């Protein structure tokens, strides 16, 4: 009887750990989808602003394109930095699941 209780407790602990891992993965996936949605909206708005500015600065297009290239490079690096930093802040759910998974 004691062995069965111990086995049941191990299974319960394993199930709780798996549930926590799933919740972490769900939060991470939700954040990634929100970030992707926000990036698309920002891109569309930036494109509209860029088109309006390109018409406004049509007499100085080489300078406008140079500034645009610099701004796009900075935006790409900032996005890459933010995503990498936020991903490294959370533990990898697959590794956590593999470490906590107990064969039953």
């Amino acid at each position: 009887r004691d062995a069965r209780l111990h086995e049941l407790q191990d299974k319960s602990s394993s199930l709780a750990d798996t549930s926590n891992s799933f919740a972490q993965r769900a939060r991470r996936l939700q954040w990634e989808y929100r970030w992707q949605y926000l990036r698309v909206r920002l891109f569309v708005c930036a494109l509209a602003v860029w088109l309006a500015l390109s018409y406004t600065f049509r007499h100085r297009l080489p300078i406008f394109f140079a500034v645009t290239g610099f701004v796009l490079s900075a935006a790409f690096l900032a996005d890459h930095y933010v995503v990498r930093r936020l991903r490294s802040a959370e533990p990898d759910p697959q590794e956590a699941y593999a470490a906590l998974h107990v064969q039953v």
Side-chain angles (χ1 to χ4, degrees), residues 9-41:
Q9 186 177 10
D10 287 344
K11 287 180 183 181
S12 174
S13 175
S14 174
L15 185 60
D17 294 338
T18 303
S19 172
N20 290 337
S21 176
F22 177 79
Q24 284 179 346
R25 277 187 284 174
R27 270 187 263 122
R28 184 175 182 178
L29 188 61
Q30 184 180 22
W31 177 84
E32 287 181 6
Y33 278 127
R34 282 184 181 174
W35 181 243
Q36 182 179 6
Y37 179 74
L38 179 63
R39 281 193 308 197
V40 168
R41 292 187 68 142

Side-chain angles (χ1 to χ4, degrees), residues 6 16 28 34 37 52-53 68 79-80 92 101-102:
H6 185 65
R28 184 175 182 178
R34 282 184 181 174
Y37 179 74
L53 288 175
T68 298
D79 175 58
H80 187 70
D92 186 20
H101 187 67
V102 177

Side-chain angles (χ1 to χ4, degrees), residues 32-89:
E32 287 181 6
Y33 278 127
R34 282 184 181 174
W35 181 243
Q36 182 179 6
Y37 179 74
L38 179 63
R39 281 193 308 197
V40 168
R41 292 187 68 142
L42 285 173
F43 176 76
V44 169
C45 291
L47 183 62
V49 169
W50 185 83
L51 288 172
L53 288 175
S54 68
Y55 179 75
T56 303
F57 295 111
R58 65 185 177 273
H59 302 298
R60 294 189 178 106
L61 283 180
I63 294 171
F64 179 72
F65 288 144
V67 170
T68 298
F70 177 75
V71 169
L72 285 177
S73 298
F76 173 77
L77 291 174
D79 175 58
H80 187 70
Y81 174 76
V82 167
V83 169
R84 179 175 281 190
R85 184 172 172 105
L86 290 175
R87 281 185 181 166
S88 69

